Amino acid sequence: MLARIGAVRYLGEDPGLAQLMYQAHLDVFLTSLSSLLHAVALLETGGIKPAAAIPELMQTLAGILPMLAAGEDLGAQLEAGEHPGHLSTVTMMGATADHLVEASEAAGIDTDLPRAVQAHYTWARSRGYGAENWSRIIDGIRPYA
């Protein structure tokens, strides 16, 4: 019956896991939309109109999946607690987050989203994880952080 409306996947005995998976999808979806519009607002301060900005920014969104697929198996690395820093590091990505906060402040646009991202990298850097992969920030997001 359910196959008529979508792919059926078993997530475990707890039926609440289906709702949790749905919420996780919404997490990725909504934060992606917010970041897209934050970027548009940033570009508008430089005189770039949304119609010109969106095609450029969509290239970045489209490039995320191939970028992640080109590296190691992120899920397996997270489960193993491995965060090799040979493709990117907390320090590098954290510096990028710092620059985005600074650019947002200078442009006079809302800084809540970039500050939230910056906080993840600040947490990881403050604990000496600078040379590890950006994925190390998950430890600051998890409930036992």
Side-chain angles (χ1 to χ4, degrees):
M1 175 74 96
L2 291 176
R4 292 182 187 170
I5 60 172
V8 178
R9 290 187 318 277
Y10 180 75
L11 299 175
E13 287 186 34
D14 180 355
L17 292 176
Q19 178 64 20
L20 189 60
M21 180 62 78
Y22 175 69
Q23 293 298 324
H25 280 276
L26 288 178
D27 188 4
V28 172
F29 178 67
L30 291 175
T31 54
S32 296
L33 293 179
S34 289
S35 68
L36 177 65
L37 294 184
H38 186 274
V40 168
L42 181 62
L43 289 169
E44 282 180 319
T45 68
I48 298 174
K49 303 258 186 227
I54 293 292
E56 285 283 328
L57 299 170
M58 293 303 288
Q59 291 178 34
T60 298
L61 280 176
I64 293 171
L65 182 60
M67 179 190 72
L68 290 174
E72 291 84 12
D73 182 340
L74 179 60
Q77 285 181 336
L78 291 173
E79 286 183 24
E82 299 171 351
H83 307 279
H86 60 284
L87 297 176
S88 66
T89 67
V90 165
T91 297
M92 177 187 77
M93 300 295 266
T96 302
D98 295 342
H99 293 308
L100 185 52
V101 169
E102 292 166 9
S104 298
E105 288 173 340
I109 66 171
D110 184 82
T111 61
D112 288 350
L113 183 60
R115 283 190 187 283
V117 172
Q118 180 188 45
H120 296 151
Y121 291 98
T122 299
W123 178 92
R125 286 185 287 190
S126 72
R127 282 158 179 79
Y129 298 131
E132 295 188 33
N133 190 45
W134 66 269
S135 58
R136 175 56 82 173
I137 68 172
I138 194 168
D139 291 335
I141 298 168
R142 287 177 167 149
Y144 48 83

